Amino acid sequence: MPRVLLTAFEPYEEWRENSSWLTLIELTRWFDGGDDVVTRRYPVDFQAVKHRLAIDMQQDFDLILHLGQAPGASVIRLESFAVNMGSNHCELVDGGPAAYKSPLPLTTWGKKLHDRGVPAQVSYHAGTYLCNATLYMSHHYAACEGLQTQSTFLHLPVAPNQVAARQKPMPSMSVPLMAAGVAMLLEEFLQRSSA
């Protein structure tokens, strides 16, 4: 059975909740991945994420799905690329590759989500903040350690209750729908790996 790491982030700045963590909690209520699906909640701190991710990746996962919140997004964004650039305009890894591309079939995944009623699209730029950095480090650790781990990042809209708490209109998506989307991708990967 393929081994999967699912990560999400804690709340940050003005956000008292994080839709990525809300989605992961919802998913674990009903998705039965057994001991082969490991979940983590990471702090919103680059050095801490680097440290914890390096430790987690020593378990040699087949798939890593990172979940993160993207205020303003109206769809689940499947991130195809991670670039070697941080928010301070410095390289995340000195002399590291300029970018990594996810080997996962994200176009197919995005279409399947869309066809099943989950708004989704492939994105070609994960930004230059922690979400991008987390995906970049996943690819980089895998490359440096010779791991077969495949990774991507899913940027999730905020949840309706988060919008209500802020009292400021913005796109949102229900937590059950986001969790269902993540579950669909997990099932797709597990089926493809078992074929």
Side-chain angles (χ1 to χ4, degrees):
M1 194 65 178
R3 301 195 67 244
V4 177
L5 174 64
L6 282 171
T7 75
F9 288 105
E10 67 184 11
Y12 63 96
E13 295 176 356
E14 75 270 22
W15 297 99
R16 291 179 291 173
E17 295 182 290
N18 191 308
S19 62
S20 67
W21 183 242
L22 296 174
T23 298
L24 193 51
I25 296 249
E26 172 68 21
L27 181 68
T28 58
R29 288 188 176 131
W30 50 266
F31 185 83
D32 184 15
D35 294 334
D36 296 311
V37 177
V38 175
T39 61
R40 294 284 188 266
R41 181 167 119 158
Y42 286 161
V44 180
D45 177 270
F46 178 55
Q47 293 304 324
V49 169
K50 272 177 61 175
H51 175 72
R52 290 183 56 182
L53 184 58
I55 293 170
D56 285 337
M57 289 190 69
Q58 290 174 15
Q59 297 181 47
D60 199 11
F61 291 99
D62 298 287
L63 172 68
I64 298 178
L65 286 183
H66 296 294
L67 310 179
Q69 174 175 289
S74 59
V75 300
I76 294 176
R77 296 193 333 235
L78 292 79
E79 299 297 350
S80 184
F81 287 91
V83 297
N84 189 13
M85 181 67 63
S87 58
N88 58 0
H89 304 292
C90 295
E91 289 184 331
L92 299 170
V93 175
D94 291 340
Y100 286 104
K101 182 180 186 300
S102 176
L104 293 163
L106 301 183
T107 301
T108 300
W109 284 8
K111 184 177 185 320
K112 288 194 175 184
L113 287 177
H114 194 270
D115 290 348
R116 294 177 188 174
V118 181
Q121 68 181 34
V122 177
S123 168
Y124 299 98
H125 197 301
T128 55
Y129 293 98
L130 187 58
C131 299
N132 170 75
T134 303
L135 181 56
Y136 186 90
M137 295 311 301
S138 291
H139 288 307
H140 192 68
Y141 288 140
C144 291
E145 299 298 323
L147 304 176
Q148 297 302 308
T149 306
Q150 298 177 75
S151 303
T152 192
F153 197 103
L154 306 181
H155 264 127
L156 307 175
V158 295
N161 64 301
Q162 294 177 276
V163 176
R166 289 195 78 203
Q167 300 181 5
K168 178 182 176 184
M170 67 170 49
S172 65
M173 187 180 293
S174 76
V175 170
L177 185 60
M178 292 189 284
V182 175
M184 289 176 200
L185 298 185
L186 286 174
E187 289 166 354
E188 179 75 16
F189 180 83
L190 296 174
Q191 288 172 4
R192 185 168 61 96
S193 300
S194 303

